[in-house]
Amino acid sequence: MPVPTLVLNFGHSVLNSLSDYTEAASEIYRHYRQGLNIVAVTSAQGDATDVLMAEARRIGPEGASESGGARNLPELLQLGERRSAALLALALERIGAPAFVRQARDLGLTASGDPMNAELTGLKTGQLLQDLKDHDIVVMPGYVAIGELDRAVLLGRGGADLTALYVADQLGAPALLLKDVEGVFDRDPKTAEPGGLRKYRRISYADLRRKAEPLVSARAVDYAEGVGQRFRIGTPGISDYTEVGDVTDAPEPARSRPKLKIAMMGLGTVGGGVFRRVEALDDRFEIVKVMVRSPGKYIDQGYTPDLLTTDAADLLAASPDIFIDVSGPVEPALSLTRDMLSAGVHVVSANKQAIATGGQALLDHAQESDGSLLFSSAAGGGMPVLEMCIRERGRIARVEALLNGTTNFMLGEMGKGLSYEDALQIAQDRGYAEADPTADVDGLDAAAKIRLVSLLGFGEEIGVDEIARDTLDGVAERKVPGKVLKRVSRVVGDAGNGVVADLRLKALSPNNFIAKADGEDAHAVFDFTDGDRYVIRGKGAGRWPTTESVMADLYDVSEAG
Ligand code: HSE
């Protein structure tokens, strides 16, 4: 079955600084983890096009302007969008999302007419569809296409909107244009007093032109209207959009978004990453308390002493809206998670051992309480394996996956001749391993994740002792010529009799999808009862991929109200 695709456009108003590319990557990941392929179309950063234009005026022929006068101008002005595409792809690479950049030329995006204001004429969708099949996420610069004599031409100011709508239309995919406003309002939300502001859930092309002309380029609106294409307008991190189409609804009072208070437990590899990301989002979140074992160490690193505590009770007493558990041990995490949920606090947890131990009873408790419990990052790092389990539960026959990045990395390095000790040391240095790495090599880390896959994907609780596990003992002697050694987690539904699960060292053919995951990369294969098969991938361990998974949950619970 083909995977549905979403086309996103990142407007220049949401790409104002380098850190905005991190936010843009986060937005892509949030949609991607819902099981969508993504085409991300970039605009230039902030005023980059103006800066390039000023350079052209100084160096180029007299009279060069955006309406013409210099035939090589498109070569320069396209660089803003191309730089944004490359930066966004790099930000995605940091979080382990399988993205890469394609240029208009690679994709056969053609245009004709005025080279500064050209009309799009075609897209060879074959290349793009193949790229999406192979890599899930493609980033492309907007505003530029290939014109006569195979030269770069531009689509006019705001042209990236048009690129996104055109590509979406050619793919038959929905489009979402991301701006610095949450959608279309009855007045400009940037200048109007917030009280009494109203937002359109749906607005017609004509009303959009009247109400918010500069928000979306006029040519893009004309194009969408001409082909009868509906599209959405929104802002990164908030899933509340305005849909543009044939009708306008009466606007509704805009939702106020008070700052949400966050309590955290843990400041290790992932916790430190989450802290930095949340701290930067200070218009939406405020970190009120962080529990750590040794505050002195963190005070030395520059954390504010008042923020830190060693007492779990202080976290509850801080009355947070959201509790983020990025600690490792089962306790006090599990008890605190229960207490937070009872108090109506949302919980985002990366603590696989606590959640696996809490099991179905914990999920039931979350169901009955006012708080929600999300824990996507507890298994698979940035690979959305638990999201897939939740989405497809009921039709999964079998899951095979690499669920421990440390082991996969070590097996790869040892295959190249490194000793066990050296391979483990590098995995620790890179932040893949648990605080106590014996959990990684003995398989207890993977076993907790297997339990979560079983719970969410099959609705079955299994004990750690029910999971047959191969450790890494004697692995150096297990080399099989022409094969790749992997330790594979497997959960198989057993028609009405629960599940069978194990963690086994397997010598796989190099062509096997799971064998192709190198280092901390994670791959998973889902076989469905109807014979269908889905594969997913991502970085299974490491600070930024796992942080991103926590952030995606954080955004989701922050919208839960
Ligand atoms: N230690 C874990 C691993 C971290 O190596 O996979 C991610 O859960």
Side-chain angles (χ1 to χ4, degrees), residues 270 350 352 377-382 402-409 427 431-437 439-440 445-446 449 520 539-542 546:
V270 178
K352 64 214 127 192
S377 57
L402 297 172
L403 290 181
N404 184 263
T406 302
T407 317
N408 202 45
F409 176 82
Y432 306 149
E434 297 301 295
D436 175 2
D440 294 298
D445 177 84
K449 296 166 180 169
E520 80 283 21
K539 295 273 179 215
T546 314

Side-chain angles (χ1 to χ4, degrees), residues 105-134:
R105 192 178 297 279
D106 307 327
L107 298 173
L109 181 66
T110 52
S112 67
D114 178 354
M116 294 303 293
N117 215 3
E119 297 281 339
L120 285 169
T121 52
L123 170 75
K124 293 200 180 81
T125 52
Q127 180 66 55
L128 187 50
L129 290 171
Q130 187 62 45
D131 287 341
L132 289 169
K133 188 159 177 267
D134 294 343

Side-chain angles (χ1 to χ4, degrees), residues 402 408 411 484-488 504-506 508 514-515 517:
L402 297 172
N408 202 45
L411 286 173
V484 183
L485 197 60
K486 295 284 177 197
R487 192 168 64 174
V488 183
R504 292 289 190 206
L505 280 165
K506 290 183 182 163
L508 302 173
I514 288 197

